[in-house]
Amino acid sequence: MRLSLFFAAVTLGLAPVALTQSAAQGPTATDEPQFSADRVRADVTYLADDKLEGRFTASKGYLTAAAYVAERFQALGLKPGGTDYPWFQLVPIRLPAGKVTRTYKAPNVIGILPGSDPVLKNEYVVLSAHLDHIGVDPRPGSDKIYNGAMDNAAGVATMLEAARAFMTSGKPPRRSILFVALAGEEEGLLGSSYLAKNPVIGTGRVVADVNLDMPILLYDFQDVVAFGAEHSTLGPIVAAAGAKMGVTLSPDPMPEENLFVRSDHYSFVQAGVPSVFLVTGFKNGGEKAFRSFLKTHYHQVSDDLSLPFDWNAGAKFAKLNYLIAREIADGDVAPLWYDRDPFGERFAPRAPKAPRPAPAAKL
């Protein structure tokens, strides 16, 4: 499998030589994991390269990106979580081909960090980020490649850095963790839907998903938005993790966009799993950066490495992801939907529920 992954990357002239060499060495365990802006930048740079041609699901560029992530998982020492190949779960993707529709297969890339608790290790925390983007613009133009640097090379890169932190922390989590780079998000949450319906965990169960999709890494964020935090005990968990690094949890600043149902975490919600969709917040210039990106660069060819990335913000976001996943994985009780929450009642009616906390008093 390793040679086939390397060959896939070589075919586009993008073999991750330095990372391949590091696989033999493995990460070094330390008590306090470190988070590297340079590593985040290296992963985004690779995944957003023109040679991957926008990582359209089922394209050669997407397969090369998937090979790259699998190499990274292997180098970190994660266990393969695939079903069709060691690291890959192949997702059926139906796409138009002229006047007919054809079915292709694109891989979800899955790495597993087994839990240490003899009972809780059968409960799984998912840290997910979609790997695909929208490919190449067929219209004439000098720049035709939708690189997807922020959407979602940034999410995948910070997920990889959080995985490294777990492997170098010297402290395995109590619950098991699935690190997943998902296929087909841009085509309708296809990879996450397939994984939620076809779990790779045997008799285990998924207890939470934290989804990383398009963090805006253009400023030193001071708060984070976890879409869906108000529906389950994941809200207080995210708040507690953020407090450890001086990052506050803010409410959904754009409820009119209904973002809770528009990214991969929602596939897990539909399977009854408490989930959140994590992005950088609106404080410290975040609102201007976020709205400007949505207006000017979202799903445009300009979402590329020419954007003024704040790579330290990438390392900071990776640390926050790690702390959130650590809180969930090591907690005595798995996340619960709140009483009478509409999503919990609809998708997990028989699951135990938690009392909804009283609203904070207005000053």
Side-chain angles (χ1 to χ4, degrees), residues 225-243:
V225 176
F227 297 105
E230 70 275 21
H231 298 299
S232 74
T233 57
L234 282 175
I237 289 171
V238 172

Side-chain angles (χ1 to χ4, degrees), residues 10-361:
V10 168
T11 60
L12 290 190
L14 286 167
V17 176
L19 294 172
T20 303
Q21 291 172 342
S22 71
Q25 302 168 0
T28 302
T30 60
D31 290 334
E32 291 294 332
Q34 302 298 308
F35 298 85
S36 168
D38 288 339
R39 280 194 297 265
V40 172
R41 177 170 54 189
D43 288 333
V44 173
T45 298
Y46 184 92
L47 294 171
D49 193 285
D50 279 354
K51 292 181 180 179
L52 269 69
E53 297 185 329
R55 306 188 309 278
F56 180 72
T57 293
S59 71
K60 192 175 183 181
Y62 177 82
L63 296 176
T64 300
Y68 177 85
V69 173
E71 289 274 4
R72 296 285 276 113
F73 282 168
Q74 187 173 46
L76 291 173
L78 296 172
K79 293 186 177 298
T83 52
D84 301 283
Y85 296 95
W87 300 99
F88 294 163
Q89 178 191 48
L90 297 182
V91 180
I93 307 285
R94 291 177 61 82
L95 297 172
K99 295 182 179 181
V100 299
T101 299
R102 295 184 58 186
T103 299
Y104 301 84
K105 290 190 176 181
N108 289 332
V109 191
I110 305 171
I112 300 176
L113 175 56
S116 61
D117 186 282
V119 175
L120 296 182
K121 68 181 181 181
N122 292 314
E123 298 181 353
Y124 288 76
V125 179
V126 177
L127 198 60
S128 60
H130 77 86
L131 181 59
D132 66 309
H133 197 51
I134 58 175
V136 178
D137 190 339
R139 297 170 297 182
S142 59
D143 186 356
K144 300 166 63 69
I145 297 174
Y146 295 100
N147 302 85
M150 209 74 71
D151 181 18
N152 187 38
V156 174
T158 51
M159 183 263 288
L160 288 171
E161 188 65 3
R164 173 178 285 277
F166 272 100
M167 298 304 291
T168 61
S169 68
K171 179 186 176 185
R174 296 174 69 194
R175 290 181 176 83
S176 300
I177 301 179
L178 288 184
F179 297 96
V180 187
L182 291 160
E185 190 269 353
E186 302 287 5
E187 300 303 312
L189 315 185
L190 299 180
S192 58
S193 178
Y194 190 80
L195 176 60
K197 293 174 183 176
N198 300 274
V200 298
I201 55 177
T203 59
R205 70 184 184 100
V206 174
V207 298
D209 174 49
V210 179
N211 186 51
L212 316 176
D213 189 356
M214 205 174 77
I216 305 301
L217 304 181
L218 299 173
Y219 61 104
D220 181 17
F221 67 93
Q222 302 298 310
D223 66 323
V224 65
V225 176
F227 297 105
E230 70 275 21
H231 298 299
S232 74
T233 57
L234 282 175
I237 289 171
V238 172
K244 292 181 178 179
M245 52 188 294
V247 173
T248 58
L249 173 63
S250 294
D252 182 351
M254 299 180 295
E256 71 281 0
E257 297 289 342
N258 205 22
L259 290 173
F260 180 60
V261 303
R262 291 174 53 185
S263 191
D264 282 311
H265 64 288
Y266 194 64
S267 296
F268 293 96
V269 170
Q270 292 175 306
V273 177
S275 305
V276 290
F277 162 22
L278 200 69
V279 297
T280 49
F282 272 21
K283 294 181 180 178
N284 196 38
E287 179 174 7
K288 180 179 179 181
F290 199 98
R291 294 191 185 279
S292 175
F293 180 86
L294 288 180
K295 180 179 179 180
T296 308
H297 304 295
Y298 174 66
H299 282 192
Q300 301 297 320
V301 295
S302 57
D303 179 11
D304 60 18
L305 292 166
S306 68
L307 292 171
F309 274 85
D310 182 337
W311 298 111
N312 289 324
K316 185 177 180 179
F317 192 65
K319 181 177 181 179
L320 179 62
N321 299 334
Y322 165 78
L323 291 174
I324 292 169
R326 174 66 78 178
E327 289 275 340
I328 302 169
D330 288 351
D332 291 333
V333 179
L336 298 172
W337 294 103
Y338 284 138
D339 282 333
R340 293 183 292 279
D341 181 81
F343 293 97
E345 291 299 320
R346 179 180 178 185
F347 297 118
R350 296 182 178 85
K353 306 296 193 298
R356 185 179 293 276

